[in-house]
Amino acid sequence: MEPVDAHEEVHGVGRRARGGERLGGWGLMQAAGCCALSGYAVWALLLMPGFRRVPLRLQVPYLPASPQQVNNVMRLLGGRSGPLADLGSGDGRIVLEACRRGFSPAMGYELNPWLLAVSRLRAWRAGLRGRASFQRRDLWKVDLSNYDNVTVFLAPSVLHQLEHKLATELPDGARVVAGRFPLPTWAPAAQAGDGEHRAWLYHVQRSDGTHAEPGQLPGSHDKM
């Protein structure tokens, strides 16, 4: 066996250590790249599919309703029944809770296919499949004339245009509940909760038998 050169061995260890440092730095760069790629993948797969077919000014980012918000919506709709539509239903939590409380049919409209899949899975796991339904539809193209109850958790940028759609299509006596942001020109009949959990109730009442105009819906400002 040849003798080991102690000097060479020490330098060899030093080189391996320095190589490990370079490998560690490269590993960090790889990890950062993977994180960035993962973030883009989440956007591309979960969020972008729901935006691609909608004009930029009408796009609404997904932000799930909190348990308090869901509860406030149901409080404002207390004592009611009949068909309910949730516009931009996300992961389906409002539709599922409405179904549990007797609204039928309870329908969610959502463009994002991944959120639709989550909604349908949650309905199946809750034993509500067939009672709570979800469709991949652009909310601006949904006919609301058959719904007595509508819930919306949408961005302020689209609410003014939504008022016109609601006023034109909803039947007399319908109720609208807006969460997180109020309708800009309608007078709420009641509200529930505080801060970001607040929800507003609106009554659709027609004086001429045709349709109501935004800003002309009567209502008090009762707080529940």
Side-chain angles (χ1 to χ4, degrees), residues 90-173:
D91 63 3
R93 61 186 64 191
I94 290 180
V95 174
L96 296 178
E97 186 60 29
C99 186
R100 292 186 186 100
R101 301 198 183 204
F103 290 90
S104 180
M107 176 68 72
Y109 293 103
E110 173 61 53
L111 267 180
N112 189 296
W114 299 97
L115 291 175
L116 278 175
V118 171
S119 301
R120 290 165 178 162
L121 176 61
R122 295 184 67 185
W124 175 76
R125 293 182 62 183
L128 299 175
R129 185 178 181 182
R131 296 169 54 196
S133 302
F134 301 92
Q135 291 186 10
R136 188 182 183 189
R137 296 277 301 280
D138 181 349
L139 67 86
W140 303 104
K141 298 178 181 179
V142 173
D143 181 6
L144 299 176
S145 60
N146 292 322
Y147 288 102
D148 297 323
N149 309 278
V150 173
T151 59
V152 294
F153 275 72
L154 301 176
S157 58
V158 303
L159 291 180
H160 191 276
Q161 184 167 343
L162 182 66
E163 284 182 332
H164 177 73
K165 178 177 177 64
L166 296 171
T168 301
E169 298 181 14
L170 287 177
D172 184 40

Side-chain angles (χ1 to χ4, degrees), residues 196-214:
E196 65 179 3
H197 304 299
R198 184 173 299 173
W200 294 263
L201 173 69
Y202 302 90
H203 295 179
V204 176
Q205 299 174 346
R206 309 183 186 285
S207 59
D208 59 0
T210 55
H211 64 83
E213 292 296 336

Side-chain angles (χ1 to χ4, degrees), residues 53-70:
R53 300 181 181 180
V54 181
L56 181 62
R57 64 188 177 86
L58 299 182
Q59 292 180 2
V60 179
Y62 169 61
L63 184 63
S66 69
Q68 297 95 320
Q69 288 169 334
V70 175

